[in-house]
Amino acid sequence: MRAVLCDMDGTLVDSEKLWDVAMDALYDRLGGVLTPEVRASTVGGCAEDTMRIVYDDLGLPRDPAAMAASARWLHDYTGELFDAGLPWCDGARELLDELAGAGMPTALVTNTPRMLAERALGSIGRHYFAAVVCGDEVPAGKPAPDPYLRAAQLLELDPRWCLAVEDSPTGAAAAEAAGCAVLVVPNALPVPAGARRHQVASLTGLGLADLHEICAQLADSQVAAVGNRRDPS
């Protein structure tokens, strides 16, 4: 493991509840009612995917200008909620402190657009991150691998040398597709298991040595899986 790539919403800060509030407000503005099922389908998604889900759910035409305006309104509303303060997820700040103290390169990899991520970084702390990749800075956001590929590129590392820390199915899929090992800390939604995924209930008590061990275990599991596929016996 040469670097740690961290998701933001639901992984480092418990901001999904604030997104719940903002999404409810957007639906009220558009004349609808947000259901738990639709909200679940947007968790961890990029702005474009979220707006497609919202407009399809409400039976609204996919007008690019209207969808872009709704996305801007949603992000402005969420930004005001962020400015009031972001609660840390359990163990996240302590882990970032240890990574920073050890000089472990760490990147923030989020589907949140840059303007909103910058407001969040004012609360989290920019000093933790050697690189920040946002959803509006790559060709495709999560679940595409682009954000994680870009983060590894900025750190001048092969993604296979990086451990991603994620809380959602969307984010875990993106990190895995990029070639990263994935430490999954489920928050709002359950996350399916996978050969390159290790799940924990929270980041509490986890340190750099634990991350190295998890990454090594996942690498061993991947090698074993490849060997089993090649050996029909």
Side-chain angles (χ1 to χ4, degrees):
M1 184 183 76
R2 307 276 185 87
V4 178
L5 314 179
C6 294
D7 174 54
M8 183 176 75
D9 294 301
T11 300
L12 296 180
V13 289
D14 197 12
S15 50
E16 290 297 351
K17 296 179 180 64
L18 302 182
W19 281 104
D20 290 344
V21 173
M23 286 289 290
D24 279 331
L26 176 64
Y27 261 72
D28 186 62
R29 176 182 173 86
L30 295 176
V33 177
L34 177 64
T35 65
E37 294 76 20
V38 172
R39 172 64 183 118
S41 70
T42 67
V43 171
C46 62
E48 292 79 6
D49 288 345
T50 295
M51 287 305 112
R52 282 193 289 268
I53 290 169
V54 168
Y55 272 62
D56 288 350
D57 178 49
L58 294 173
L60 299 173
R62 286 191 183 183
D63 177 76
M67 294 167 73
S70 292
R72 286 193 300 271
W73 186 91
L74 177 67
H75 294 148
D76 287 343
Y77 191 101
T78 307
E80 293 177 5
L81 298 176
F82 278 15
D83 290 344
L86 288 167
W88 286 95
C89 290
D90 293 342
R93 187 171 189 173
E94 292 79 5
L95 179 58
L96 288 179
D97 282 337
E98 183 167 345
L99 295 177
M104 173 61 66
T106 303
L108 187 70
V109 186
T110 177
N111 261 349
T112 298
R114 170 64 69 167
M115 55 79 65
L116 190 52
E118 285 295 326
R119 294 170 79 163
L121 283 168
S123 176
I124 298 170
R126 291 174 177 80
H127 64 284
Y128 287 121
F129 307 109
V132 176
V133 177
C134 299
D136 57 346
E137 298 173 336
V138 290
K142 306 173 191 179
D146 302 33
Y148 280 103
L149 293 173
R150 177 60 177 160
Q153 181 184 44
L154 290 173
L155 297 178
E156 300 182 344
L157 292 172
D158 189 309
R160 294 173 296 179
W161 299 344
C162 302
L163 177 68
V165 186
E166 273 285 355
D167 75 297
S168 71
T170 298
E176 197 170 50
C180 303
V182 190
L183 174 60
V184 179
V185 194
N187 188 319
L189 297 172
V191 180
R196 293 280 286 168
R197 303 178 185 184
H198 177 89
Q199 295 210 17
V200 294
S202 82
L203 295 175
T204 301
L206 288 181
L208 180 57
D210 300 300
L211 300 193
H212 276 296
E213 182 177 353
I214 289 166
C215 206
Q217 289 174 351
L218 291 173
D220 290 343
S221 297
Q222 183 72 4
V223 170
V226 171
N228 289 337
R229 287 198 296 271
R230 289 176 178 172
D231 182 3
S233 62

